[in-house]
Amino acid sequence: MVDVANRMRGLQESSITAMTVRCQELGAINLAQGLCQVPPPPSLLAEGARDFRDIDHSYSAPEGFAVFREAVADKLKKYSGLSVEPATQIVATVGATGALMATLTALLNPGDGVLLFEPFYGNYPTALGVLDLRAEPVRLFGPGFEVTEEALRSAVTDRTRAMIVCTPNNPSGRRLTMAELMAISAVAEEHDLLVITDEVYEDIYFGPAPHIAPATVGDLGRRTVTVSSLGKSFSVPGWRLGYACGPEGLMDAIRVAAESLVVCPPAPLQELGARALRLGDNYYRGLRAMYDRKRRALTEGFVAAGLSPNEPDGSYYLFVECSPLGVTTGAEATEILLQRSLVGTVPGETFYLHSPDLPYIRACFSLPDEVIADAAGRLARGV
Ligand SMILES: Cc1ncc(COP(=O)(O)O)c(C=O)c1O
């Protein structure tokens, strides 16, 4: 009998998709989906439309066009202080997801353990499961969700070979501090772990301190593969353009894995992607100001509903502790918000391997201002 692979048993599509369907049925505002729903920079679209006929529509090299990798390297240098050689240390990929999958495929063996900081981006355990890798949780506790050396060290097992670090974090909105990254560096060094960093929200942060790329801290650069994409920074997640970069000795295998998975990232969009990456300081400042405004507006809605949302210092999510609603789980909280306010959110359980300590929900604020205002009004009136 033809059947599914053993490693696929128990793996499911995200519960966020189910919430999206319910929102459609009920006419609710969908803050569940992490989809970026703000428009891309108009200048980029205009240039793209003008040039599309003349752009290269064939395959690119598996590692992407040089023009794209050079733009990635320049941006990393300028905004993250990370020096990478575009010819040998960067592989362009199909989104950050493509970079993550190629890295896991290239550098780990079936059965290896990978540390995930709870709460984590819900796709990580599925990605690990698909590749027959083991998710090993490191429980972090709100409201701060700080990483400590002790928590990290006690999560390491005989099988641990790697960890995935997401900063700014989806869903908690936390950015890792220098002290936390030093703790990560110490434990990674002690156990000789690969560190994969997911920095897709690197350009969306609040407050003056710039993004800290983990690979620039301590000795982490030697053992870190940095993964990111253009999706969040330029509001073009559907372009599926991302990249992995890291030590030269690891990138060959990542390139081979990426090629075998998908041949190359979308070639016609790479040149346009390179232009996006060079948009400059004003663009990034505007992006952050826009998200700060949306963050404040949605926060007001939750506060008016009697809740105390976290104050994210990066990404575009609120992670809201909902015990004032008289619930013990995020799933119950989600249901109340959906029924009373017609606002769809994601239960905190989605971001943990085992139940979280408190009832959390995640709400995305990458939506047009008027939709956020509507959602905030509904929250205030409904709960
Ligand atoms: C933390 C995190 N990593 C990766 C991704 C996916 O990135 P991409 O669309 O570039 O594959 C997302 C998308 O929501 C995300 O939140």
Side-chain angles (χ1 to χ4, degrees):
M1 238 271 285
V2 178
D3 203 354
V4 300
N6 290 339
R7 64 180 190 285
M8 295 304 291
R9 288 181 210 286
L11 298 182
Q12 284 173 348
E13 278 180 341
S14 140
S15 60
I16 298 173
T17 315
M19 177 54 85
T20 298
V21 172
R22 289 203 66 206
C23 285
Q24 282 160 357
E25 284 166 4
L26 294 172
I29 296 181
N30 187 358
L31 307 183
Q33 202 101 39
L35 279 183
C36 171
Q37 289 183 50
V38 302
S43 62
L44 203 58
L45 296 187
E47 286 176 30
R50 192 193 59 212
D51 298 346
F52 200 67
R53 258 195 344 184
D54 304 321
I55 281 176
D56 190 340
H57 291 273
S58 185
Y59 295 132
S60 70
E63 67 273 22
F65 288 126
V67 65
F68 179 75
R69 283 177 287 119
E70 280 157 14
V72 169
D74 289 348
K75 176 173 184 263
L76 287 172
K77 180 79 193 143
K78 181 165 179 197
Y79 294 104
S80 304
L82 192 59
S83 296
V84 280
E85 185 48 58
T88 52
Q89 288 186 269
I90 298 178
V91 172
T93 55
V94 176
T97 308
L100 181 70
M101 295 308 280
T103 304
L104 294 170
T105 305
L107 306 184
L108 296 173
N109 294 306
D112 283 352
V114 180
L115 298 173
L116 297 182
F117 296 91
E118 288 178 319
F120 48 67
Y121 170 50
N123 277 17
Y124 296 150
T126 317
L128 297 180
V130 164
L131 295 173
D132 228 347
L133 299 165
R134 280 164 51 97
E136 299 183 319
V138 184
R139 176 61 65 96
L140 306 180
F141 294 92
F145 299 105
E146 286 100 2
V147 175
T148 63
E149 221 170 299
E150 297 69 49
L152 195 46
R153 202 168 272 127
S154 62
V156 173
T157 69
D158 292 349
R159 299 164 81 158
T160 310
R161 295 287 172 273
M163 67 174 94
I164 301 179
V165 171
C166 179
T167 182
N169 186 273
N170 171 8
S172 76
R174 281 269 343 265
R175 292 202 283 160
L176 292 172
T177 62
M178 190 58 89
E180 290 173 301
L181 290 167
M182 291 303 285
I184 287 171
S185 173
V187 177
E189 201 67 35
E190 204 171 290
H191 294 277
D192 194 20
L193 303 179
L194 163 71
V195 177
I196 303 171
T197 70
D198 179 341
E199 300 175 45
V200 294
Y201 298 101
E202 65 196 304
D203 298 309
I204 304 174
Y205 56 81
F206 314 109
H211 171 66
I212 307 177
T216 60
V217 174
D219 287 333
L220 275 174
R222 299 194 279 134
R223 54 180 66 257
T224 298
V225 175
T226 301
V227 161
S228 195
S229 73
L230 277 59
K232 316 292 178 187
S233 297
F234 306 103
S235 312
V236 291
W239 285 14
R240 311 304 303 129
L241 270 188
Y243 52 89
C245 63
E248 205 176 315
L250 304 179
M251 296 314 294
D252 271 353
I254 292 174
R255 192 191 65 241
V256 173
E259 181 179 18
S260 80
L261 287 168
V262 290
V263 180
C264 68
L269 294 173
Q270 291 182 41
E271 195 168 314
L272 217 47
R275 287 186 223 168
L277 288 160
R278 297 192 189 283
L279 277 174
D281 297 356
N282 277 345
Y283 171 74
Y284 294 115
R285 265 198 293 275
L287 180 79
R288 287 192 273 276
M290 174 190 73
Y291 276 118
D292 198 26
R293 192 177 68 233
K294 294 179 191 297
R295 167 179 78 126
R296 287 167 197 277
L298 190 59
T299 298
E300 276 173 26
F302 279 103
V303 170
L307 297 169
S308 314
N310 64 328
E311 211 177 293
D313 49 8
S315 81
Y316 51 55
Y317 305 98
L318 297 182
F319 201 51
V320 191
E321 201 276 282
C322 289
S323 43
L325 294 178
V327 297
T328 54
T329 66
E332 290 170 90
T334 313
E335 202 52 40
I336 288 181
L337 295 173
L338 186 63
Q339 298 292 344
R340 293 193 198 157
S341 299
L342 284 182
V343 167
T345 55
V346 191
E349 288 81 345
T350 311
F351 311 102
Y352 288 78
L353 280 191
H354 308 292
S355 298
D357 48 315
L358 288 167
Y360 293 103
I361 60 98
R362 188 196 75 177
C364 172
F365 54 86
S366 180
L367 292 150
D369 286 350
E370 61 278 13
V371 179
I372 302 260
D374 190 1
R378 289 181 187 210
L379 286 165
R381 288 190 299 276
V383 179

